[in-house]
C-alpha cells in the first residue's frame, strides 16, 4: 500500500517515527493497563531506556515506585476520562532533578470508553528556574505581577500578588469584579475608572488601598504597559503592583518627625527665648544695681530671675518628655506613690494656693506623676481662676484626681482638641496668655504610659474647668 506521495506504509511509519523523535519532549502511548505501546527517542536520555526497551513495560517500572505512587491519583482520573495537566519534579537516570509539565490525554471512543492514554512530558526546568527567581525577586521587592486581556476582561495574578492581597497563591485567582471588591470603599471609584481604562486597552499608574480578607488595609501602587499586535491593536496589559504600605508609613513617620522638629524649633525660638531673656535681664540689673539697691529690691530681682528660670526648666522638661513620647520610648518605673503629697509639693513649687480633699496611693512612676500634676496645676493657674481644688478619691481599682478651677472654662469648640500637641484655643483667655500647647498633651501621653487616663469634665456647679486624672490603684495582677 502506497501513501499519497507514493511512499509505502513502512516509509510513512518511519517518517512519523522521525518526526516524533525530533520533538523535544517525551511522547508516548499507554494502554489501559498502563503498559507502553509506543514511545519516542526522548525517553532514552531521561530514563536510559530506548523506545524498543520501553515497549510493553509497565509505567511503574519506567518511573520508579515512588514517582509512580505520586502519579496514581492523576492516572486514575485520566483513565476515567478526565484530562490531566500538571507540573512536577522528575529525577533522570543520571540522578538529576528536572521540572516537567505533564499532560495525560485520555484516548476515548464515541461512547466515552477509555482505551489508553497519550502522554506528553515537556522539560520546563529553565522556565521553572526563571519563575522561581522571579517569585523570589517579587517577594523581596514586595511586588507582584498581573495581566489583563481587554477583549475578554480576563485578569491573571501572580502568586506573589495574591499573597499581597491576602489570598491563597495556589487558589483560583480573582476576576476583575472580584478584585474590585477588595479595594477600599473610598478608593473604589478611582479603581473602577482604572478598570474601564484597562478594558479600553489604556495604560495607567495609580496608588490606592486594598482590604485583605482578614481586614488589614494595605497601600498598593499599580502600573501597566501595553502589549500590541502587528496591527497595532492592544492585545494585553502587563502590570506590576507593589505593596507600598511600609514605605508610606515610613514617609508619614518621617513627615511627622519633620513637623515635630519644625514645631520644636519654633517653640524654642518663641517660648524659650522669653524666660532666657528675662533671667539674663534680671541678673544684669541685679549686678549693675547691687550697690545702689537695698535688700528688698535685690530679693525681688532674684525672685523674678528664679521664676523665669523655673519657667525655662519647665519648658525644657516638656521638650525632653515630648521627644521620649514621640519616639515611643517612655520607660515607666511604677511604685506605690502618695498622690496628695505629689499635689502639695507641685503647688508649693508653683507658688499656688489650693485645697485638697481625700487621700490615696496610686501605682505610678513618681517622676511622671509629678510632671502630670505640675502640668495640670500650671494649666489651671494659667487659664483659670481661684479657688483651685484637687479632689482625690478611690474609684474601684483606680485612683481619681480631679483638678478644678473657677475660670471661664474650656471653649466648647476647642474641647475635642484639648490633648493634641501644640494646640491652643483661639478664643477666650487662652488667646491672651502665653503657652506652648504641650502641657495637656504630655499629661495624656504620660497617663497612657502608666496605664491611666485623663479627660476633661465640664463642671455642673458653676464656671470653670475640671480635669480628671485616673491611675491604677495597685500593681497589675
Amino acid at each position: 500500500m502506497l501513501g499519497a506521495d507514493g511512499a509505502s506504509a513502512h516509509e510513512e511509519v518511519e517518517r512519523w517515527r522521525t518526526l516524533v523523535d525530533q520533538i523535544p519532549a517525551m511522547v508516548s502511548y499507554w494502554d489501559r493497563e498502563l503498559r507502553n505501546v509506543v514511545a519516542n527517542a526522548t525517553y532514552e536520555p531521561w530514563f536510559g531506556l530506548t523506545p524498543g526497551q520501553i515497549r510493553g513495560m509497565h509505567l511503574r517500572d519506567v518511573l520508579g515506585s515512588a514517582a509512580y505512587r505520586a502519579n496514581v491519583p492523576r492516572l486514575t482520573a485520566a483513565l476515567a476520562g478526565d484530562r490531566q495537566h500538571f507540573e512536577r519534579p522528575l529525577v533522570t537516570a543520571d540522578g538529576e532533578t528536572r521540572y516537567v509539565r505533564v499532560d495525560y490525554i485520555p484516548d476515548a471512543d464515541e461512547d466515552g470508553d477509555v482505551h489508553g492514554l497519550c502522554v506528553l512530558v515537556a522539560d520546563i526546568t529553565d522556565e521553572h528556574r526563571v519563575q522561581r527567581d522571579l517569585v523570589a525577586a517579587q517577594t523581596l521587592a514586595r511586588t507582584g505581577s498581573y495581566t489583563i486581556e481587554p477583549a475578554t476582561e480576563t485578569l491573571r495574578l501572580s502568586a506573589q500578588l495574591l499573597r499581597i492581597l491576602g489570598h491563597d497563591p495556589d487558589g483560583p485567582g480573582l476576576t476583575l469584579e472580584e478584585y474590585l471588591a477588595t479595594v477600599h470603599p473610598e478608593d473604589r471609584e478611582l479603581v473602577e475608572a482604572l478598570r474601564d481604562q484597562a478594558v479600553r486597552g489604556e495604560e495607567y499608574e495609580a496608588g490606592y488601598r486594598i482590604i485583605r480578607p482578614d481586614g488589614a488595609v494595605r497601600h498598593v501602587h499599580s502600573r501597566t504597559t501595553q502589549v500590541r499586535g502587528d496591527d497595532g491593536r492592544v492585545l494585553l496589559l502587563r502590570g506590576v503592583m507593589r505593596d507600598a504600605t511600609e514605605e508610606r508609613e515610613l514617609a508619614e513617620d518621617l513627615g511627622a518627625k519633620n513637623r515635630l522638629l519644625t514645631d520644636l524649633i519654633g517653640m524654642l525660638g518663641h517660648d524659650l527665648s522669653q524666660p532666657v531673656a528675662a533671667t539674663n535681664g534680671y541678673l544684669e540689673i541685679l549686678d549693675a544695681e547691687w550697690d545702689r539697691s537695698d535688700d528688698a529690691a535685690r530679693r525681688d530681682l532674684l525672685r523674678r530671675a528664679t521664676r523665669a528660670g523655673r519657667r525655662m526648666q519647665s519648658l525644657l522638661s516638656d521638650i525632653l518628655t515630648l521627644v521620649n513620647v514621640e519616639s515611643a520610648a517612655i520607660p515607666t518605673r511604677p511604685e506605690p506613690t502618695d498622690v496628695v503629697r505629689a499635689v502639695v509639693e507641685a503647688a508649693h513649687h508653683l507658688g499656688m494656693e489650693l485645697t485638697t480633699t481625700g487621700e490615696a496611693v496610686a501605682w505610678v512612676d513618681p517622676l511622671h506623676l509629678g510632671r502630670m500634676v505640675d502640668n495640670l496645676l500650671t494649666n489651671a493657674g494659667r487659664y483659670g481662676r481661684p479657688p483651685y481644688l484637687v479632689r482625690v478619691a478611690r474609684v474601684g481599682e483606680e485612683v481619681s484626681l480631679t483638678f478644678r478651677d473657677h475660670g471661664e472654662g474650656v471653649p466648647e469648640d476647642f474641647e475635642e482638641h484639648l490633648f493634641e500637641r501644640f494646640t491652643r484655643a483661639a478664643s477666650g483667655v487662652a488667646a491672651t496668655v502665653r503657652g506652648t500647647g504641650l502641657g495637656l498633651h504630655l499629661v495624656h501621653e504620660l497617663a497612657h504610659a502608666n496605664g491611666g487616663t485623663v479627660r476633661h469634665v465640664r463642671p455642673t456647679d458653676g464656671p470653670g474647668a475640671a480635669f480628671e486624672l485616673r491611675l491604677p490603684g495597685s500593681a497589675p495582677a
Side-chain angles (χ1 to χ4, degrees), residues 245-260:
T245 307
E246 278 73 20
E247 65 186 65
R248 186 182 180 91
E249 290 174 348
L250 285 173
E252 290 175 351
D253 185 54
L254 180 60
K257 284 181 168 55
N258 285 337
R259 288 191 297 274
L260 172 63

Side-chain angles (χ1 to χ4, degrees), residues 350-420:
L350 296 169
M352 176 183 287
E353 293 185 7
L354 56 79
T355 302
T356 63
T357 60
E359 59 182 25
V361 172
W363 182 259
V364 63
D365 186 313
L367 294 178
H368 291 172
L369 176 62
R371 194 89 209 107
M372 287 186 282
V373 169
D374 189 88
N375 282 2
L376 286 167
L377 290 178
T378 298
N379 185 77
R382 182 175 294 155
Y383 304 112
R385 295 191 186 94
Y388 303 111
L389 310 173
V390 179
R391 294 190 296 273
V392 176
R394 183 88 181 195
V395 182
E397 298 297 318
E398 296 180 311
V399 171
S400 169
L401 294 86
T402 302
F403 296 76
R404 174 83 158 89
D405 68 66
H406 290 77
E408 65 180 33
V410 177
E412 290 188 10
D413 61 351
F414 184 69
E415 191 165 0
E416 62 179 303
H417 304 292
L418 269 172
F419 300 103
E420 295 175 7

